């Protein structure tokens, strides 16, 4: 298999490594997308938490035996405009539910969340093995009068990514590291640093099966220090660190499926979350 094809399959795997927190999809990668290629990824994710870390990082159960779940369906797309530029779009639909053993026993919300649209610029490469990219993203809320689905504020993000490939014995490997700074423009922000690092390897020479480990997290700062167990997606001052394992299988060069599971390891003002996600990748070439 050509080096370009191996890079493309590695990129497909990176796309769903961070399907977590608030059912949002983040696609981070320095590997370039071929001009004229459209990548479409519908995905579904499940988030569950029955305990939280307080403002000092101490783990506690939710009051009144509370439990929080969130199910998200996200449509992600990326199109290679040229050798240097790619267009990105992500639109999630979420259902959030918090239950407890006292009245009111249930808080729920559902609907379209924040639309993310962006442009990725491929800065440079080293011997076509290591790649650097810079991405600018606009955040637009797709809801009104329902702040349980998010902050209800427009925002922007600037993200830098570094990716590369190599070998571990007879197996092909790849890595990806990304860090982005996000600012919401409403009252009390917040401003966030979102990061992830991935190491993956193929299990066969045809790149039909892959596994990977990802470490990711968010540090969010705001003057608003409040914490709401029923709608944790609206909390502004928090942080967490998560580890995820993923497995991917390619049925053809055009169709792949990926399964990922993750666990929050540490945090502050956030739920102790467990996540599971399933994503499909479709590739279409128009040139």
């Amino acid at each position: 298999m050509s080096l370009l094809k191996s890079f493309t399959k590695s990129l497909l795997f990176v796309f769903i490594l961070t399907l977590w927190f608030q059912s949002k999809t983040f696609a981070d990668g320095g590997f370039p997308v071929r001009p004229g290629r459209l990548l479409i990824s519908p995905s579904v994710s499940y988030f569950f938490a029955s305990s939280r870390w307080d403002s000092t990082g101490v783990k506690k159960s939710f009051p009144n035996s509370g439990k929080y779940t969130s199910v998200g369906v996200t449509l992600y797309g990326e199109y290679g405009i040229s050798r240097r530029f790619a267009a990105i779009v992500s639109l999630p639909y979420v259902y959030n539910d918090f239950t407890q053993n006292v009245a009111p026993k249930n808080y729920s919300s559902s609907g379209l969340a924040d639309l993310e649209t962006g442009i990725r610029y491929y800065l440079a490469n080293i011997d076509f093995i290591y790649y650097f990219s810079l991405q600018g993203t606009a955040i637009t809320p797709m809801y009104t009068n329902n702040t349980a689905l998010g902050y209800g504020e427009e925002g922007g993000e600037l993200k830098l990514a570094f990716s590369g490939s190599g070998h571990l014995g007879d197996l092909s490997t790849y890595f990806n590291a990304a860090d982005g700074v996000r600012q919401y423009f409403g009252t009390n922000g917040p401003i966030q640093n979102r990061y992830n690092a991935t190491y993956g390897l193929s299990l066969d020479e045809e790149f039909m099966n892959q596994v990977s480990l990802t470490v990711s997290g968010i540090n969010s700062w705001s003057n608003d220090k409040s914490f709401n167990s029923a709608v944790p997606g609206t909390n502004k001052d928090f942080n967490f660190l998560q580890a995820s394992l993923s497995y991917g299988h390619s049925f053809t060069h055009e169709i792949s499926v990926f399964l990922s599971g993750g666990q929050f390891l540490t945090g502050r003002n956030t739920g102790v979350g467990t996540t599971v996600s399933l994503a499909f990748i479709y590739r279409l070439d128009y040139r």
Side-chain angles (χ1 to χ4, degrees), residues 1-279:
M1 178 173 288
S2 69
L3 187 60
L4 177 59
K5 289 183 178 179
S6 66
F7 284 162
T8 302
K9 284 191 174 289
S10 296
L11 176 62
L12 295 179
F13 194 52
V14 170
F15 281 163
I16 51 79
L17 294 176
T18 50
L19 291 170
W20 35 263
F21 189 66
Q22 206 176 335
S23 304
K24 292 184 178 180
T25 302
F26 303 97
D28 301 301
F31 293 108
V33 176
R34 181 184 301 173
R37 171 162 291 171
L38 175 63
L39 302 176
I40 300 174
S41 175
S43 63
V44 59
S45 60
Y46 175 80
F47 176 95
F48 171 80
S50 60
S51 58
R52 68 180 181 93
W53 287 288
D54 66 14
S55 60
T56 63
V58 176
K59 186 178 178 180
K60 299 179 178 180
S61 297
F62 284 136
N64 305 313
S65 301
K67 296 180 180 180
Y68 177 80
T69 59
S70 179
V71 178
V73 178
T74 300
L75 181 61
Y76 173 86
E78 179 167 353
Y79 179 74
I81 301 172
S82 68
R83 295 177 63 89
R84 289 284 189 177
F85 289 94
I88 313 293
V89 63
S90 176
L91 180 62
Y93 181 94
V94 299
Y95 173 78
N96 304 317
D97 184 69
F98 181 81
T99 59
Q100 57 185 0
N101 58 12
V102 298
K105 292 187 175 182
N106 179 272
Y107 299 87
S108 62
S109 60
S110 61
L112 293 173
D114 291 338
L115 171 68
E116 299 187 8
T117 54
I119 294 292
R120 181 177 297 157
Y121 176 67
Y122 301 102
L123 295 167
N125 73 82
I126 302 175
D127 297 328
F128 297 99
I129 298 176
Y130 306 104
Y131 291 85
F132 301 86
S133 70
L134 182 66
Q135 180 176 321
T137 303
I139 299 102
T140 306
M142 302 300 291
Y143 48 92
T144 58
N145 302 320
N146 192 351
T147 55
L149 297 175
Y151 300 133
E153 301 169 351
E154 295 184 348
E157 182 181 75
L158 194 62
K159 182 185 302 177
L160 181 66
F162 173 49
S163 303
S165 61
H167 291 86
L168 180 64
D170 294 331
L171 299 177
S172 296
T173 65
Y174 67 91
F175 69 88
N176 181 78
D179 189 89
V181 176
R182 176 174 295 200
Q183 173 71 67
Y184 289 89
F185 303 135
T187 304
N188 294 322
I191 184 170
Q192 299 178 340
N193 182 55
R194 296 171 171 237
Y195 58 90
N196 67 77
T198 296
Y199 181 80
L201 58 102
S202 64
L203 301 179
D204 50 71
E205 294 182 356
E206 291 75 26
F207 296 90
M208 302 300 288
N209 299 282
Q210 305 174 51
V211 294
S212 72
L213 172 66
T214 297
V215 177
S216 58
I218 298 177
N219 292 314
S220 183
W221 298 274
S222 172
N223 292 327
D224 183 354
K225 310 295 183 181
S226 61
F227 179 84
N228 190 329
S229 300
V231 282
T234 64
N235 298 324
K236 295 183 176 181
D237 193 82
F238 67 90
N239 63 64
F240 69 84
L241 177 69
Q242 179 187 228
S244 303
L245 289 173
S246 298
Y247 167 76
H249 175 74
S250 297
F251 298 100
T252 67
H253 294 314
E254 293 77 28
I255 302 175
S256 304
V257 62
F258 300 90
L259 178 65
S260 179
Q263 179 64 48
F264 283 27
L265 304 177
T266 62
R268 179 183 59 83
N269 270 352
T270 191
V272 183
T274 300
T275 62
V276 178
S277 62
L278 180 68

